Amino acid sequence: MTQMTCARQRLAAAIDMPAVLDAAYEAFEVILGVLRRHLEDDERAFPAFVLAAAAAANGRDWIAGADTLPEGSPQDRAGDVLEDAAVADVARAVAELSRELAARLTSAAAAAIGSAGDRGCCEHAVSEAAAITALLGGVNPP
């Protein structure tokens, strides 16, 4: 099972705000690792991958600032490198995880009634996940 699959499953299984935040942090870290690994695989995809990696780092940092992120959660988690995957497949997989991440964080933001800090962090992270999806949705195979 790949780390992207695990991240997707953790997002789906998260039942409370701390679990959602922890899963979101991990998902952004996995995305960042994948993009870094495949950054130079195709010069046409390079700009989109660089900008998407920056959005992943920003999203991770927004989540790291959330009030109810469990202590000890922000840590380096090795990214899934998707060895031997075509650039278009990498882009598609990352965009799909980013879409799921944005949807899950949108729901979490709406449910964060008691914590404006968590809500704001989720909303900002949603914007970063949406940017990743938009950037990588345009990467076409050679």
Side-chain angles (χ1 to χ4, degrees), residues 70-82:
E71 231 176 273
S73 291
Q75 55 185 304
D76 277 340
R77 295 176 172 134
D80 196 345
V81 294
L82 296 177

Side-chain angles (χ1 to χ4, degrees), residues 11 16-25 28 55 58-69 98 100-113 115-130:
L11 273 172
D16 60 9
M17 184 61 79
V20 170
L21 293 170
D22 192 45
Y25 187 94
F28 278 120
N58 290 340
R60 175 203 58 202
D61 292 348
W62 278 110
I63 296 298
D67 297 334
T68 59
L69 179 68
S98 296
E100 292 173 19
L101 183 55
R104 191 66 174 105
L105 287 171
T106 297
S107 296
I113 297 168
S115 174
D118 282 348
R119 185 174 47 256
C121 288
C122 287
E123 289 169 348
H124 287 291
V126 166
S127 295
E128 301 298 342

